[in-house]
Short mmCIF file of all heavy atoms in Angstrom, two decimals:
data_model
loop_
_atom_site.label_atom_id
_atom_site.label_comp_id
_atom_site.label_asym_id
_atom_site.label_seq_id
_atom_site.Cartn_x
_atom_site.Cartn_y
_atom_site.Cartn_z
N GLU K 1 -10.64 3.84 8.30
CA GLU K 1 -9.52 3.95 7.36
C GLU K 1 -9.48 5.34 6.73
O GLU K 1 -8.41 5.95 6.61
CB GLU K 1 -9.66 2.88 6.28
CG GLU K 1 -8.49 2.80 5.32
CD GLU K 1 -8.61 1.66 4.34
OE1 GLU K 1 -9.36 0.69 4.61
OE2 GLU K 1 -7.97 1.75 3.28
N CYS K 2 -10.64 5.85 6.35
CA CYS K 2 -10.71 7.20 5.77
C CYS K 2 -10.24 8.25 6.77
O CYS K 2 -9.45 9.14 6.45
CB CYS K 2 -12.13 7.51 5.32
SG CYS K 2 -12.68 6.59 3.88
N PHE K 3 -10.71 8.15 8.01
CA PHE K 3 -10.35 9.14 9.01
C PHE K 3 -8.85 9.08 9.36
O PHE K 3 -8.22 10.11 9.61
CB PHE K 3 -11.21 8.99 10.26
CG PHE K 3 -12.59 9.56 10.10
CD1 PHE K 3 -13.73 8.78 10.34
CD2 PHE K 3 -12.77 10.87 9.69
CE1 PHE K 3 -15.00 9.30 10.18
CE2 PHE K 3 -14.05 11.42 9.53
CZ PHE K 3 -15.17 10.62 9.77
N PHE K 4 -8.28 7.88 9.36
CA PHE K 4 -6.83 7.78 9.56
C PHE K 4 -6.11 8.55 8.46
O PHE K 4 -5.17 9.30 8.71
CB PHE K 4 -6.38 6.32 9.53
CG PHE K 4 -6.32 5.66 10.89
CD1 PHE K 4 -6.98 4.46 11.11
CD2 PHE K 4 -5.59 6.22 11.92
CE1 PHE K 4 -6.92 3.85 12.35
CE2 PHE K 4 -5.52 5.62 13.16
CZ PHE K 4 -6.20 4.43 13.39
N ASN K 5 -6.55 8.36 7.22
CA ASN K 5 -5.89 9.03 6.10
C ASN K 5 -6.12 10.53 6.10
O ASN K 5 -5.33 11.28 5.53
CB ASN K 5 -6.39 8.43 4.78
CG ASN K 5 -5.69 7.12 4.45
OD1 ASN K 5 -4.52 7.11 4.09
ND2 ASN K 5 -6.39 6.01 4.61
N LEU K 6 -7.19 10.96 6.75
CA LEU K 6 -7.46 12.39 6.87
C LEU K 6 -6.81 12.99 8.12
O LEU K 6 -7.01 14.16 8.43
CB LEU K 6 -8.98 12.63 6.91
CG LEU K 6 -9.72 12.34 5.59
CD1 LEU K 6 -11.22 12.33 5.80
CD2 LEU K 6 -9.32 13.36 4.52
N GLY K 7 -6.04 12.17 8.84
CA GLY K 7 -5.34 12.65 10.03
C GLY K 7 -6.23 12.82 11.24
O GLY K 7 -5.89 13.56 12.17
N LYS K 8 -7.37 12.14 11.25
CA LYS K 8 -8.31 12.24 12.38
C LYS K 8 -8.38 10.89 13.08
O LYS K 8 -9.38 10.16 12.98
CB LYS K 8 -9.68 12.69 11.88
CG LYS K 8 -9.66 14.07 11.21
CD LYS K 8 -11.03 14.51 10.75
CE LYS K 8 -10.98 15.87 10.06
NZ LYS K 8 -10.51 16.96 10.95
N ALA K 9 -7.30 10.58 13.79
CA ALA K 9 -7.17 9.25 14.39
C ALA K 9 -8.24 9.00 15.46
O ALA K 9 -8.73 7.86 15.59
CB ALA K 9 -5.77 9.09 15.00
N ASP K 10 -8.61 10.02 16.21
CA ASP K 10 -9.59 9.80 17.29
C ASP K 10 -10.98 9.47 16.72
O ASP K 10 -11.71 8.65 17.30
CB ASP K 10 -9.65 11.02 18.20
CG ASP K 10 -8.39 11.17 19.04
OD1 ASP K 10 -7.69 10.14 19.25
OD2 ASP K 10 -8.08 12.29 19.46
N ARG K 11 -11.34 10.08 15.60
CA ARG K 11 -12.61 9.73 14.97
C ARG K 11 -12.55 8.31 14.40
O ARG K 11 -13.54 7.57 14.45
CB ARG K 11 -12.97 10.74 13.87
CG ARG K 11 -13.29 12.12 14.43
CD ARG K 11 -13.92 13.01 13.38
NE ARG K 11 -15.25 12.55 12.99
CZ ARG K 11 -16.02 13.17 12.10
NH1 ARG K 11 -15.58 14.29 11.51
NH2 ARG K 11 -17.22 12.70 11.79
N ALA K 12 -11.38 7.95 13.90
CA ALA K 12 -11.20 6.57 13.42
C ALA K 12 -11.41 5.59 14.57
O ALA K 12 -12.07 4.56 14.42
CB ALA K 12 -9.81 6.40 12.82
N TYR K 13 -10.83 5.94 15.73
CA TYR K 13 -10.94 5.08 16.91
C TYR K 13 -12.41 4.84 17.29
O TYR K 13 -12.80 3.71 17.60
CB TYR K 13 -10.19 5.74 18.07
CG TYR K 13 -10.38 5.07 19.41
CD1 TYR K 13 -9.71 3.90 19.73
CD2 TYR K 13 -11.23 5.63 20.36
CE1 TYR K 13 -9.89 3.29 20.97
CE2 TYR K 13 -11.42 5.04 21.60
CZ TYR K 13 -10.74 3.87 21.89
OH TYR K 13 -10.92 3.27 23.11
N THR K 14 -13.23 5.89 17.24
CA THR K 14 -14.65 5.75 17.60
C THR K 14 -15.33 4.71 16.72
O THR K 14 -16.09 3.85 17.20
CB THR K 14 -15.36 7.10 17.45
OG1 THR K 14 -14.74 8.05 18.33
CG2 THR K 14 -16.84 6.99 17.81
N HIS K 15 -15.05 4.75 15.42
CA HIS K 15 -15.67 3.80 14.50
C HIS K 15 -15.12 2.39 14.70
O HIS K 15 -15.86 1.40 14.54
CB HIS K 15 -15.49 4.26 13.06
CG HIS K 15 -16.41 5.40 12.69
ND1 HIS K 15 -17.74 5.22 12.43
CD2 HIS K 15 -16.17 6.74 12.59
CE1 HIS K 15 -18.30 6.39 12.15
NE2 HIS K 15 -17.37 7.33 12.24
N LEU K 16 -13.84 2.29 15.03
CA LEU K 16 -13.26 0.96 15.25
C LEU K 16 -13.87 0.30 16.49
O LEU K 16 -14.14 -0.92 16.49
CB LEU K 16 -11.73 1.06 15.39
CG LEU K 16 -11.00 1.44 14.11
CD1 LEU K 16 -9.53 1.72 14.40
CD2 LEU K 16 -11.12 0.32 13.06
N LYS K 17 -14.09 1.07 17.54
CA LYS K 17 -14.72 0.51 18.73
C LYS K 17 -16.14 0.03 18.42
O LYS K 17 -16.59 -1.01 18.91
CB LYS K 17 -14.75 1.55 19.85
CG LYS K 17 -13.38 1.91 20.40
CD LYS K 17 -12.66 0.74 21.04
CE LYS K 17 -13.22 0.40 22.39
NZ LYS K 17 -12.43 -0.66 23.07
N GLU K 18 -16.84 0.79 17.58
CA GLU K 18 -18.18 0.38 17.18
C GLU K 18 -18.13 -0.88 16.32
O GLU K 18 -18.98 -1.78 16.46
CB GLU K 18 -18.87 1.52 16.41
CG GLU K 18 -20.33 1.28 16.12
CD GLU K 18 -21.18 1.16 17.37
OE1 GLU K 18 -20.85 1.80 18.39
OE2 GLU K 18 -22.19 0.42 17.34
N ALA K 19 -17.11 -0.96 15.48
CA ALA K 19 -16.98 -2.13 14.60
C ALA K 19 -16.80 -3.41 15.40
O ALA K 19 -17.42 -4.44 15.11
CB ALA K 19 -15.80 -1.94 13.64
N VAL K 20 -15.95 -3.38 16.44
CA VAL K 20 -15.72 -4.60 17.21
C VAL K 20 -16.90 -4.93 18.12
O VAL K 20 -17.07 -6.08 18.52
CB VAL K 20 -14.40 -4.54 18.01
CG1 VAL K 20 -13.20 -4.46 17.09
CG2 VAL K 20 -14.40 -3.38 18.99
N LYS K 21 -17.72 -3.92 18.43
CA LYS K 21 -18.97 -4.21 19.14
C LYS K 21 -19.90 -5.02 18.25
O LYS K 21 -20.54 -5.98 18.67
CB LYS K 21 -19.67 -2.91 19.56
CG LYS K 21 -19.20 -2.31 20.85
CD LYS K 21 -20.10 -1.11 21.18
CE LYS K 21 -19.50 -0.30 22.30
NZ LYS K 21 -20.31 0.92 22.56
N LEU K 22 -20.01 -4.57 16.99
CA LEU K 22 -20.89 -5.25 16.05
C LEU K 22 -20.35 -6.61 15.65
O LEU K 22 -21.12 -7.56 15.44
CB LEU K 22 -21.07 -4.38 14.79
CG LEU K 22 -21.84 -3.07 15.00
CD1 LEU K 22 -21.70 -2.18 13.77
CD2 LEU K 22 -23.31 -3.36 15.29
N ASP K 23 -19.02 -6.74 15.52
CA ASP K 23 -18.41 -8.01 15.11
C ASP K 23 -17.09 -8.18 15.86
O ASP K 23 -16.04 -7.71 15.41
CB ASP K 23 -18.16 -8.02 13.59
CG ASP K 23 -17.57 -9.35 13.13
OD1 ASP K 23 -17.39 -10.25 13.97
OD2 ASP K 23 -17.30 -9.47 11.92
N PRO K 24 -17.11 -8.86 17.01
CA PRO K 24 -15.90 -9.02 17.82
C PRO K 24 -14.78 -9.77 17.12
O PRO K 24 -13.65 -9.76 17.58
CB PRO K 24 -16.40 -9.81 19.05
CG PRO K 24 -17.87 -9.57 19.09
CD PRO K 24 -18.30 -9.44 17.66
N GLU K 25 -15.08 -10.42 15.99
CA GLU K 25 -14.05 -11.19 15.28
C GLU K 25 -13.59 -10.49 14.01
O GLU K 25 -12.94 -11.10 13.16
CB GLU K 25 -14.59 -12.59 14.94
CG GLU K 25 -14.90 -13.41 16.19
CD GLU K 25 -15.26 -14.85 15.87
OE1 GLU K 25 -15.29 -15.19 14.66
OE2 GLU K 25 -15.52 -15.61 16.81
N ASP K 26 -13.85 -9.22 13.88
CA ASP K 26 -13.41 -8.46 12.70
C ASP K 26 -11.91 -8.16 12.84
O ASP K 26 -11.49 -7.28 13.59
CB ASP K 26 -14.21 -7.15 12.59
CG ASP K 26 -13.95 -6.42 11.28
OD1 ASP K 26 -12.80 -6.39 10.82
OD2 ASP K 26 -14.92 -5.89 10.71
N GLN K 27 -11.10 -8.91 12.08
CA GLN K 27 -9.65 -8.78 12.22
C GLN K 27 -9.15 -7.42 11.76
O GLN K 27 -8.23 -6.85 12.37
CB GLN K 27 -8.94 -9.90 11.45
CG GLN K 27 -9.05 -11.25 12.13
CD GLN K 27 -8.32 -12.33 11.37
OE1 GLN K 27 -8.86 -13.39 11.10
NE2 GLN K 27 -7.07 -12.09 11.03
N ASP K 28 -9.72 -6.89 10.70
CA ASP K 28 -9.29 -5.57 10.22
C ASP K 28 -9.48 -4.52 11.31
O ASP K 28 -8.61 -3.66 11.52
CB ASP K 28 -10.09 -5.17 8.98
CG ASP K 28 -9.64 -5.94 7.74
OD1 ASP K 28 -8.61 -6.59 7.80
OD2 ASP K 28 -10.36 -5.87 6.72
N ALA K 29 -10.61 -4.59 12.00
CA ALA K 29 -10.89 -3.61 13.06
C ALA K 29 -9.87 -3.75 14.19
O ALA K 29 -9.35 -2.75 14.70
CB ALA K 29 -12.30 -3.81 13.59
N HIS K 30 -9.57 -4.99 14.58
CA HIS K 30 -8.59 -5.19 15.67
C HIS K 30 -7.19 -4.76 15.24
O HIS K 30 -6.43 -4.20 16.04
CB HIS K 30 -8.61 -6.65 16.12
CG HIS K 30 -9.81 -7.00 16.95
ND1 HIS K 30 -10.02 -6.47 18.20
CD2 HIS K 30 -10.86 -7.84 16.70
CE1 HIS K 30 -11.15 -6.96 18.71
NE2 HIS K 30 -11.68 -7.78 17.82
N GLU K 31 -6.83 -5.02 13.97
CA GLU K 31 -5.52 -4.58 13.48
C GLU K 31 -5.40 -3.07 13.59
O GLU K 31 -4.39 -2.53 14.09
CB GLU K 31 -5.33 -4.99 12.02
CG GLU K 31 -4.91 -6.44 11.81
CD GLU K 31 -4.53 -6.69 10.36
OE1 GLU K 31 -4.25 -5.71 9.64
OE2 GLU K 31 -4.51 -7.87 9.95
N MET K 32 -6.42 -2.37 13.09
CA MET K 32 -6.35 -0.92 13.09
C MET K 32 -6.42 -0.34 14.51
O MET K 32 -5.77 0.66 14.80
CB MET K 32 -7.46 -0.36 12.21
CG MET K 32 -7.26 -0.73 10.73
SD MET K 32 -8.68 -0.34 9.69
CE MET K 32 -8.53 1.42 9.57
N LEU K 33 -7.16 -1.00 15.39
CA LEU K 33 -7.14 -0.58 16.79
C LEU K 33 -5.75 -0.76 17.40
O LEU K 33 -5.26 0.11 18.13
CB LEU K 33 -8.17 -1.39 17.60
CG LEU K 33 -9.58 -0.84 17.68
CD1 LEU K 33 -10.51 -1.84 18.37
CD2 LEU K 33 -9.61 0.51 18.41
N GLY K 34 -5.12 -1.89 17.07
CA GLY K 34 -3.76 -2.11 17.55
C GLY K 34 -2.82 -1.02 17.07
O GLY K 34 -1.99 -0.50 17.83
N GLN K 35 -2.97 -0.62 15.80
CA GLN K 35 -2.13 0.44 15.25
C GLN K 35 -2.42 1.78 15.93
O GLN K 35 -1.49 2.56 16.20
CB GLN K 35 -2.37 0.54 13.75
CG GLN K 35 -1.91 -0.70 13.00
CD GLN K 35 -2.56 -0.78 11.63
OE1 GLN K 35 -3.09 0.20 11.12
NE2 GLN K 35 -2.53 -1.96 11.04
N TYR K 36 -3.69 2.04 16.19
CA TYR K 36 -4.07 3.28 16.88
C TYR K 36 -3.36 3.35 18.24
O TYR K 36 -2.79 4.39 18.60
CB TYR K 36 -5.58 3.33 17.06
CG TYR K 36 -6.05 4.47 17.94
CD1 TYR K 36 -6.24 5.74 17.42
CD2 TYR K 36 -6.30 4.26 19.31
CE1 TYR K 36 -6.66 6.79 18.23
CE2 TYR K 36 -6.72 5.31 20.11
CZ TYR K 36 -6.90 6.57 19.57
OH TYR K 36 -7.31 7.61 20.38
N TYR K 37 -3.41 2.26 19.00
CA TYR K 37 -2.78 2.27 20.33
C TYR K 37 -1.26 2.40 20.22
O TYR K 37 -0.62 3.01 21.09
CB TYR K 37 -3.16 1.00 21.09
CG TYR K 37 -4.61 0.95 21.52
CD1 TYR K 37 -5.42 -0.14 21.21
CD2 TYR K 37 -5.17 2.00 22.25
CE1 TYR K 37 -6.75 -0.18 21.59
CE2 TYR K 37 -6.51 1.96 22.65
CZ TYR K 37 -7.29 0.88 22.31
OH TYR K 37 -8.60 0.85 22.70
N LEU K 38 -0.68 1.83 19.17
CA LEU K 38 0.76 1.98 18.98
C LEU K 38 1.12 3.43 18.69
O LEU K 38 2.12 3.94 19.21
CB LEU K 38 1.24 1.08 17.84
CG LEU K 38 1.30 -0.42 18.16
CD1 LEU K 38 1.51 -1.23 16.89
CD2 LEU K 38 2.40 -0.73 19.17
N ILE K 39 0.32 4.09 17.86
CA ILE K 39 0.56 5.51 17.59
C ILE K 39 0.50 6.30 18.90
O ILE K 39 1.29 7.21 19.13
CB ILE K 39 -0.47 6.04 16.58
CG1 ILE K 39 -0.22 5.42 15.20
CG2 ILE K 39 -0.40 7.56 16.49
CD1 ILE K 39 -1.34 5.67 14.21
N LYS K 40 -0.44 5.93 19.77
CA LYS K 40 -0.61 6.62 21.05
C LYS K 40 0.39 6.13 22.11
O LYS K 40 0.42 6.64 23.23
CB LYS K 40 -2.03 6.38 21.58
CG LYS K 40 -3.14 6.97 20.70
CD LYS K 40 -3.09 8.48 20.70
CE LYS K 40 -4.27 9.07 19.94
NZ LYS K 40 -4.24 10.55 19.94
N LYS K 41 1.21 5.15 21.74
CA LYS K 41 2.18 4.54 22.66
C LYS K 41 1.50 3.93 23.89
O LYS K 41 2.07 3.91 24.99
CB LYS K 41 3.26 5.54 23.07
CG LYS K 41 4.08 6.05 21.89
CD LYS K 41 5.24 6.93 22.33
CE LYS K 41 6.04 7.39 21.12
NZ LYS K 41 7.18 8.23 21.49
N ASP K 42 0.31 3.45 23.68
CA ASP K 42 -0.42 2.74 24.73
C ASP K 42 -0.13 1.25 24.52
O ASP K 42 -0.91 0.51 23.93
CB ASP K 42 -1.92 3.03 24.62
CG ASP K 42 -2.70 2.46 25.81
OD1 ASP K 42 -2.18 1.56 26.50
OD2 ASP K 42 -3.84 2.92 26.03
N TRP K 43 1.05 0.84 25.00
CA TRP K 43 1.54 -0.51 24.69
C TRP K 43 0.62 -1.59 25.25
O TRP K 43 0.42 -2.62 24.59
CB TRP K 43 2.95 -0.69 25.24
CG TRP K 43 3.91 0.42 24.93
CD1 TRP K 43 4.68 1.10 25.82
CD2 TRP K 43 4.22 0.98 23.65
NE1 TRP K 43 5.44 2.06 25.19
CE2 TRP K 43 5.18 2.00 23.86
CE3 TRP K 43 3.77 0.74 22.35
CZ2 TRP K 43 5.71 2.76 22.82
CZ3 TRP K 43 4.30 1.50 21.31
CH2 TRP K 43 5.24 2.48 21.54
N ALA K 44 0.07 -1.38 26.43
CA ALA K 44 -0.76 -2.42 27.05
C ALA K 44 -2.01 -2.69 26.21
O ALA K 44 -2.38 -3.84 25.97
CB ALA K 44 -1.15 -2.01 28.47
N GLN K 45 -2.67 -1.61 25.74
CA GLN K 45 -3.87 -1.79 24.92
C GLN K 45 -3.50 -2.39 23.55
O GLN K 45 -4.24 -3.22 23.01
CB GLN K 45 -4.58 -0.45 24.72
CG GLN K 45 -5.32 0.05 25.94
CD GLN K 45 -6.50 -0.86 26.32
OE1 GLN K 45 -7.13 -1.47 25.47
NE2 GLN K 45 -6.76 -0.97 27.61
N ALA K 46 -2.36 -1.97 23.00
CA ALA K 46 -1.92 -2.54 21.73
C ALA K 46 -1.68 -4.04 21.89
O ALA K 46 -2.07 -4.85 21.04
CB ALA K 46 -0.65 -1.84 21.25
N GLN K 47 -1.05 -4.40 23.01
CA GLN K 47 -0.80 -5.82 23.26
C GLN K 47 -2.11 -6.59 23.35
O GLN K 47 -2.22 -7.73 22.85
CB GLN K 47 0.01 -5.98 24.56
CG GLN K 47 0.53 -7.36 24.83
CD GLN K 47 1.55 -7.80 23.80
OE1 GLN K 47 1.24 -8.60 22.92
NE2 GLN K 47 2.76 -7.26 23.89
N GLN K 48 -3.10 -5.99 23.97
CA GLN K 48 -4.41 -6.65 24.11
C GLN K 48 -5.03 -6.91 22.73
O GLN K 48 -5.57 -7.99 22.48
CB GLN K 48 -5.34 -5.77 24.94
CG GLN K 48 -6.70 -6.40 25.19
CD GLN K 48 -7.54 -5.54 26.13
OE1 GLN K 48 -7.06 -4.97 27.09
NE2 GLN K 48 -8.83 -5.44 25.84
#
C-alpha cells in the first residue's frame, strides 16, 4: 500500500506476491494484486 502511494507499483507487486504466498486467503492482497494487473492492463491476470 505504501509503495503504491509512492508511485512504485512494481515494488508493491513484489510484496503482494509474497503476501499471498504466506497467506493464500488474504483478500486485501488479492484485491491489490487485481488492481495492479488492471493498471498494467493485464486483463487475464486481473480476472484470475
Side-chain angles (χ1 to χ4, degrees):
E1 186 175 339
C2 290
F3 282 126
F4 267 127
N5 280 288
L6 291 169
K8 299 182 181 298
D10 289 337
R11 292 192 68 179
Y13 171 78
T14 300
H15 284 284
L16 291 171
K17 292 298 284 185
E18 188 63 31
V20 296
K21 275 186 192 176
L22 293 168
D23 182 2
E25 296 187 359
D26 189 320
Q27 286 181 230
D28 286 348
H30 285 294
E31 280 189 19
M32 294 170 75
L33 271 173
Q35 294 161 17
Y36 172 84
Y37 290 127
L38 286 169
I39 291 169
K40 296 293 186 180
K41 298 186 179 181
D42 188 340
W43 312 127
Q45 286 294 328
Q47 189 65 256
Q48 183 175 321

